[in-house]
Amino acid sequence: MAELSRPTRAYDWIAFHARRTPDKLAAVDLGSGRRSTYAELDERVARLAGHLRATCGVGSGDRVAVLAQNTVDVFELQFACWRLGAIMNPLNWRLAAPELEFITGDSEPSVLVHDAEFAEVAARLPGRRLERGPGSAYEEAVRTSARLAEPVSATLDDVITLMYTAGTTGRPKGALITHRMTFYNAVNIGQAVDLTSGSTCLVVLPTFHTGGLNLYANPTFHLGGTVVVARGFDPDETLRLISDPELGVTHFFGVPANYLFMSQHPDFESADLGRLVATGLGGAPAPLPLLEAWARRGCPLMHGYGMTETSPSAIVIDPAHAVSKAGSCGLPVLHTEVR
């Protein structure tokens, strides 16, 4: 029997939703207060891609690094890179300058997008620099550049993200993340946590990490939902955001420390958690009392296992067994085999 060919074309999620549901709220940047519909997000992505190609000369295979705290701009840059056939290289802003110098010396970015607060260390790194923030060169580029006329026709096997590991046993290694990996993570984890186009995901994990990008932000964009990006994690503010009926947060992912600090907050028992559909957990084991505390509030913590190299979801427990199978990560997600 002839081998079945795999689908190879990668599709532009933002362009699709901009055509289908242009007025749907796509993203909320809590740091700047900017709210973008899918039409507005598509416009910003197209203009950013146009600037990166026309002014910075970014093309297929080029690396574009980003050194920024949590912002929707990271996702704009990601989707602009998709249209250019370029590769986004998120940088951990918590690292020391010599560590960032090693990573960027290895990845050789042609452009470095950075927050103003990281200008000093950015000056030591390779690549043409583009500072972001209110009134910045980044915002000017998005405002005045022409839309990218001809996006690259990509395949599912094209690399779209170069994400460096923690380097716990030596130097960080650059994990190559493809369209296929990002797409299947969106499908697999989306099914496991009941994501829909009506979902609203709150992001507090760092967007330089696969958790911040892919649990559950990119899967939410894939389905045309709403992604709310917080600049960082604060237990008081996070509980307030989850309780806000206007924001309507349905999906949240964190590490045990996030859930522990929120459970210890004096407002935890009175917080309105009723709209949460899924509360995902990863990064480390969680003690049984913490699992029980959230289960009592009607929010079973769905423990999972994954890696940067798997983009990342591999194993997730279902809500019914979140407490009774404490210590387990559950079963493999859809379309996934684990040995």
Side-chain angles (χ1 to χ4, degrees):
M1 177 182 291
E3 181 180 353
L4 295 175
S5 61
R6 296 191 298 175
T8 58
R9 183 172 178 182
Y11 292 92
D12 189 322
W13 306 346
I14 304 305
F16 173 84
H17 295 303
R19 291 191 301 269
R20 192 167 188 268
T21 53
D23 298 326
K24 173 73 182 297
L25 182 63
V28 179
D29 190 310
L30 294 175
S32 66
R34 189 176 72 238
R35 300 167 68 89
S36 303
T37 65
Y38 271 99
E40 291 166 340
L41 180 58
D42 176 69
E43 186 71 13
R44 287 180 63 88
V45 169
R47 290 179 179 273
L48 177 59
H51 174 82
L52 290 173
R53 174 174 286 176
T55 304
C56 305
V58 175
S60 293
D62 289 338
R63 274 74 64 205
V64 180
V66 56
L67 184 65
Q69 294 202 37
N70 281 15
T71 167
V72 171
D73 292 354
V74 172
F75 294 97
E76 291 178 357
L77 183 65
Q78 170 190 258
F79 292 120
C81 285
W82 289 21
R83 296 186 185 186
L84 293 164
I87 301 169
M88 186 176 75
N89 174 203
L91 301 176
N92 182 347
W93 47 263
R94 294 171 178 166
L95 296 178
E99 295 171 301
L100 291 171
E101 287 175 326
F102 167 77
I103 290 173
T104 53
D106 187 61
S107 65
E108 298 180 327
S110 56
V111 177
L112 170 61
V113 178
H114 67 89
D115 283 350
E117 64 190 279
F118 302 128
E120 185 176 344
V121 67
R124 299 172 55 174
L125 307 179
R128 178 173 182 153
R129 289 180 291 283
L130 183 62
E131 188 171 298
R132 64 156 300 278
S136 65
Y138 179 97
E139 285 300 320
E140 181 69 10
V142 170
R143 187 179 68 84
T144 62
S145 298
R147 290 175 62 99
L148 181 70
E150 296 183 13
V152 169
S153 181
T155 76
L156 287 176
D157 293 322
D158 288 339
V159 175
I160 56 171
T161 310
L162 178 58
M163 191 172 294
Y164 281 76
T165 62
T168 51
T169 58
R171 294 285 200 180
K173 315 262 189 323
L176 302 176
I177 311 300
T178 65
H179 271 293
R180 188 182 302 277
M181 295 162 67
T182 307
F183 166 71
Y184 270 107
N185 178 74
V187 172
N188 294 345
I189 198 63
Q191 184 275 335
V193 300
D194 295 325
L195 276 172
T196 72
S197 60
S199 299
T200 296
C201 164
L202 173 61
V203 177
V204 300
L205 293 184
T207 49
F208 60 69
H209 187 271
T210 188
L213 289 177
N214 295 309
L215 298 168
Y216 306 107
N218 275 328
T220 302
F221 280 128
H222 173 248
L223 288 171
T226 301
V227 175
V228 179
V229 180
R231 191 162 173 82
F233 172 72
D234 174 82
D236 180 80
E237 177 68 0
T238 302
L239 281 174
R240 187 191 69 78
L241 292 169
I242 291 173
S243 298
D244 185 349
E246 185 176 346
L247 205 55
V249 174
T250 60
H251 287 73
F252 181 82
F253 189 92
V255 297
N258 299 138
Y259 289 107
L260 177 62
F261 294 149
M262 285 191 286
S263 70
Q264 293 174 336
H265 193 278
D267 293 339
F268 177 66
E269 294 299 334
S270 61
D272 182 2
L273 310 180
R275 284 170 295 277
L276 285 173
V277 173
T279 39
L281 173 67
L288 180 59
L290 181 61
L291 300 177
E292 291 173 335
W294 280 85
R296 283 195 299 271
R297 293 298 333 272
C299 299
L301 301 184
M302 299 172 64
H303 218 137
Y305 166 79
M307 297 187 294
T308 300
E309 295 86 346
T310 55
S311 195
S313 303
I315 305 171
V316 177
I317 201 163
D318 64 289
H321 297 94
V323 175
S324 63
K325 296 289 186 180
S328 170
C329 291
L331 297 171
V333 292
L334 192 65
H335 305 304
T336 301
E337 297 177 1
V338 175
R339 183 171 65 181

